[in-house]
Amino acid sequence: MKKAFSIFIVLVSIIILSACKKTDSLYEFSFYDYMDTYISVNLYTDSQTKADEYHTYIEDIYSEYHELSTNYEPLKTDSPYLENIYSINQKNNQLIEIDYDLYLLIQKSEEIKILTDGYFDISVGEVVNIWKNIILDVNGDEENTIKEIPEAIFQNALTQVSEIELESNVIELSETDSHYYIQVKSTHAQLDLGAISKGYATQIVYEYLLEQEVKYFSISAGSSSIAVGQNINRDGGVFHVSLANPVQSESTNQTYGMIYVKDIGVTTSGNYEQFALYQGLRYHHIVSPKTKLPMQYYHTVTILGQDLGVLDAVSTALFSMPAQVLDDWLTLHQEELGIEVIQFNYDTTITTYLTDTVFEEYSG
Amino acid sequence: MSSKMSVKNKRDLLLVTLLFTILGGVFILFRLFAFQGEASTANIYYGTSNNPIVTIDFINYRVLNNYDQQVPSEYTDNYPIIDEANRTVTLLGDYELNGERQIVVIEYNFGAKSVQIIQEQSPNHICSREGISTNFPLICLPNRIRVEFDTTDVDFTV
């Protein structure tokens, strides 16, 4: 009896202790001050010291790229950096020394411009600003209010953008003795890194966590971009990521489908968060460098892949491509880039270019 | 006789130990597994209403004020008070000090999908002593304010 009882106690102890398989603890970091968005990082590691180290590194990255890429404000007087996009935009045609990290970011932007046949272009800030301002002015401060762009304002915007000449290849990057320079060869072009800097910074954080052998983590950079490792709470380590419904008519249909992912980045470009209407069509903040207009081919373009910087920029580029151009472009580049795409088309149909990812579209 | 009693006592002790072990094991397994899903929203209720005054949406990072709390006219502030900078929601509780109803302050964290009662007045401070919760409900009595979680299968929306 005594022996049986002892065995029973040992078995119960094993069952209970086996439940405590997680030796790592969850650490959560949130940032509200960078990239004009809410950034959240959840990761599992085995010590507070490591967590603190990760926290410091991650915050430093977002802080640095926020400071370098903002086009709203100059660098602070005590900033360690030479220039940022705001200050570069004040010095067209001058040869300006910039930090190596900003040089690399702009260089990558230029590479993606070539890759996307000019559908991604950071030098169209002037045109982007016109459309952004119209959306803000028309909708005002009221939340959840989408208004019609008055005819006169719309026509005025068309006139303004038609008067802007978008020159090709205005950005010249150079290096001399480990000093890095930019020259914006235009009297009026304005740079805007808004469509790449957040993804680029997130990619650096993503690679850092992988280098540190952090297996279980997630990075949510605003509502449109995530990078995930594995999910400690699910068998198989997958995360369930729902896709925002850009044409939701009621609170019950906020999403239109689900993807199941791990060890990957996901970015969505869409017209549903910042837009105003003109003749029933959405005019948003993603402006085609080809037409200088926000296009209405898709409501959202979601891309999955391993490089968040590329995903951020390419999703922006694809958003302005007509369907056939996009299809042709993916035929050429999908395999090389290792990306997958889900389009929520303007006519509310869904088109997918998936290789490995499981996507479930919600019925109805 | 005393030897028989001793055996009986030993068996009783054994039985009680066994029962406690099983119950303890079930409790631990319940806490570890039953509530392991992450919350998608936390709903804040007042009184007996089943309509949440405030919904904290952990998936889309937003706080929804569903309707205003009805409070007597002598209280000049409007509730709930949603402070996005400090990530808090404040409601007026039922507990009175010197004849005045006291506030309950709930702090939320989007990243951790958690809430915590950080300020309340009550005889035993039970709900503020609960600490941070990501899944178990926080009940503030006698303030009659409660926070309950809803879970979905979704980790993120993009």
Side-chain angles (χ1 to χ4, degrees), chain B:
Chain B
M1 178 71 179
S2 91
S3 165
K4 276 184 185 172
M5 280 297 288
S6 168
V7 170
K8 196 178 173 187
N9 281 345
K10 274 185 183 169
R11 282 185 180 164
D12 286 348
L13 192 65
L14 208 66
L15 191 64
V16 170
T17 309
L18 198 64
L19 280 172
F20 270 107
T21 308
I22 291 169
L23 285 173
V26 168
F27 175 75
I28 290 169
L29 289 173
F30 187 67
R31 293 290 291 211
L32 281 173
F33 292 115
F35 288 130
Q36 218 166 51
E38 285 188 332
S40 56
T41 59
N43 290 308
I44 304 173
Y45 301 87
Y46 168 72
T48 54
S49 172
N50 286 320
N51 292 320
I53 292 180
V54 174
T55 298
I56 301 164
D57 182 346
F58 295 124
I59 303 293
N60 299 301
Y61 303 136
R62 57 188 179 176
V63 178
L64 305 172
N65 179 7
N66 298 317
Y67 59 93
D68 289 340
Q69 184 182 8
Q70 296 295 313
V71 296
S73 55
E74 61 264 32
Y75 294 90
T76 50
D77 286 337
N78 292 321
Y79 296 94
I81 299 167
I82 297 173
D83 182 343
E84 292 187 350
N86 292 307
R87 275 92 73 190
T88 59
V89 177
T90 303
L91 265 68
L92 191 64
D94 274 7
Y95 187 69
E96 293 185 0
L97 278 179
N98 302 321
E100 195 170 332
R101 287 172 60 180
Q102 302 295 302
I103 58 169
V104 173
V105 182
I106 300 151
E107 186 178 61
Y108 57 89
N109 185 321
F110 287 134
K113 300 181 179 179
S114 68
V115 297
Q116 179 180 15
I117 311 294
I118 57 169
Q119 185 185 332
E120 51 97 21
Q121 297 294 335
S122 61
N124 299 312
H125 301 288
I126 290 172
C127 71
S128 53
R129 285 182 183 171
E130 286 273 15
I132 296 170
S133 175
T134 56
N135 45 45
F136 56 86
L138 300 173
I139 316 284
C140 292
L141 292 173
N143 280 301
R144 299 209 308 153
I145 287 169
R146 68 187 196 279
V147 185
E148 295 179 0
F149 292 86
D150 274 343
T151 56
T152 67
D153 213 16
V154 178
D155 300 306
F156 296 102
T157 299
V158 293

Side-chain angles (χ1 to χ4, degrees), chain A residues 206-218:
Chain A
Y206 181 56
E207 288 174 5
Y208 168 75
L209 292 177
L210 294 178
E211 273 168 27
Q212 300 301 311
E213 298 182 337
V214 179
K215 184 177 178 185
Y216 301 106
F217 68 88
S218 62

Side-chain angles (χ1 to χ4, degrees), chain A residues 121-138:
Chain A
D121 188 343
I122 61 168
S123 67
V124 298
E126 236 183 326
V127 180
V128 172
N129 287 341
I130 289 173
W131 291 107
K132 271 187 183 173
N133 290 337
I134 284 178
I135 296 162
L136 286 173
D137 291 347
V138 168

Side-chain angles (χ1 to χ4, degrees), chain A residues 148-211:
Chain A
E148 188 83 13
I149 303 172
E151 181 67 28
I153 291 179
F154 187 82
Q155 293 304 332
N156 184 42
L158 289 185
T159 307
Q160 282 184 61
V161 296
S162 69
E163 288 170 354
I164 294 172
E165 186 195 349
L166 294 181
E167 302 131 308
S168 56
N169 305 319
V170 296
I171 298 172
E172 194 167 286
L173 295 166
S174 56
E175 180 202 346
T176 307
D177 300 331
S178 296
H179 290 272
Y180 300 88
Y181 300 90
I182 186 171
Q183 186 171 10
V184 180
K185 294 188 164 179
S186 163
T187 53
H188 56 86
Q190 298 286 286
L191 307 190
D192 184 342
L193 291 175
I196 187 171
S197 59
K198 188 174 66 174
Y200 187 87
T202 302
Q203 181 64 18
I204 292 172
V205 172
Y206 181 56
E207 288 174 5
Y208 168 75
L209 292 177
L210 294 178
E211 273 168 27

Side-chain angles (χ1 to χ4, degrees), chain A residues 8 18 31 58 67 101 112 137 188 245 249 254 294 352:
Chain A
F8 176 77
S18 69
F31 310 110
I58 293 167
E67 218 173 322
D101 285 347
I112 297 173
D137 291 347
H188 56 86
N245 183 355
S249 53
Q254 291 184 340
T352 62

